């Protein structure tokens, strides 16, 4: 309603939220910045984990990975379809060049390396690139 009334002129949400809540009815533009990646974490308490046999632990690890792989594949496919639908519904979708933003992030990465160790940040960035 705030978009419709002009109280705000933009919002940030996952594609599924934009599509399912019909935000395209009041928002004409969508910038695909890739600035956020939502994850779901499969957790189990140490107390419960320690009760499992090594074979059961292996099954939980294997099936958790399969579930994560399935979820990422499914979300990407659904998002691609929703983006196509949003285009058909009149949204103008852009993909900004992020190189200038990445350059501006260097001081933040330097601070993170000082706190979390350069090796950890390098490993994290590698995982991010592999997930793309």
């Amino acid at each position: 309603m705030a978009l419709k009334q002009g109280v705000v002129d933009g919002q940030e949400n996952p594609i599924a939220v934009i599509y399912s809540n019909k935000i395209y009815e009041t928002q004409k533009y969508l910038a695909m910045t890739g600035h956020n990646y939502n994850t779901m974490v499969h957790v189990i308490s140490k107390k419960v984990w320690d009760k499992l046999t090594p074979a059961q632990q292996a099954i939980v690890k294997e099936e958790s990975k399969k579930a994560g792989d399935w979820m990422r594949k499914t979300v990407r496919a659904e998002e691609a379809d929703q983006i196509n639908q949003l285009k058909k519904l009149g949204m103008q979708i852009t993909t900004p060049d992020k190189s200038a933003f990445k350059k501006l992030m260097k001081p933040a990465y330097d601070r993170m390396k000082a706190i979390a160790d350069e090796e950890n940040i390098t490993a994290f960035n590698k995982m991010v690139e592999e997930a793309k």
Side-chain angles (χ1 to χ4, degrees):
M1 190 53 99
L3 283 168
K4 193 173 199 172
Q5 294 175 344
V7 175
V8 297
D9 61 4
Q11 58 80 38
E12 184 272 344
N13 269 299
I15 300 301
V17 172
I18 294 168
Y19 182 74
S20 64
N21 289 308
K22 299 182 179 183
I23 293 174
Y24 55 83
E25 291 178 349
T26 53
Q27 180 176 316
K28 185 177 180 178
Y29 302 98
L30 173 62
M32 299 297 293
T33 60
H35 68 280
N36 190 3
Y37 181 75
N38 289 327
T39 61
M40 299 239 178
V41 180
H42 188 186
V43 296
I44 187 168
S45 75
K46 181 164 176 22
K47 183 178 178 181
V48 171
W49 182 256
D50 289 343
K51 290 180 183 179
L52 299 176
T53 67
Q56 290 169 323
Q57 290 175 352
I59 291 169
V60 170
K61 285 181 181 180
E62 180 181 332
E63 294 305 318
S64 292
K65 177 156 181 5
K66 284 181 185 177
D69 292 344
W70 175 86
M71 186 266 318
R72 281 186 294 282
K73 180 181 175 185
T74 302
V75 167
R76 285 179 179 145
E78 288 178 358
E79 187 174 274
D81 180 59
Q82 290 166 343
I83 289 169
N84 285 330
Q85 293 301 319
L86 291 170
K87 287 177 184 176
K88 289 178 185 174
L89 291 163
M91 277 195 109
Q92 294 182 28
I93 300 174
T94 61
T95 306
D97 178 6
K98 296 182 272 187
S99 60
F101 295 104
K102 287 182 180 182
K103 286 178 188 173
L104 292 171
M105 287 302 297
K106 185 178 179 336
Y109 278 106
D110 290 343
R111 285 194 305 272
M112 289 188 301
K113 287 176 184 177
I115 295 167
D117 186 58
E118 185 167 352
E119 188 176 310
N120 289 327
I121 299 302
T122 300
F124 172 77
N125 285 330
K126 182 180 178 195
M127 287 188 299
V128 168
E129 288 304 315
E130 289 172 355
K132 290 183 178 179

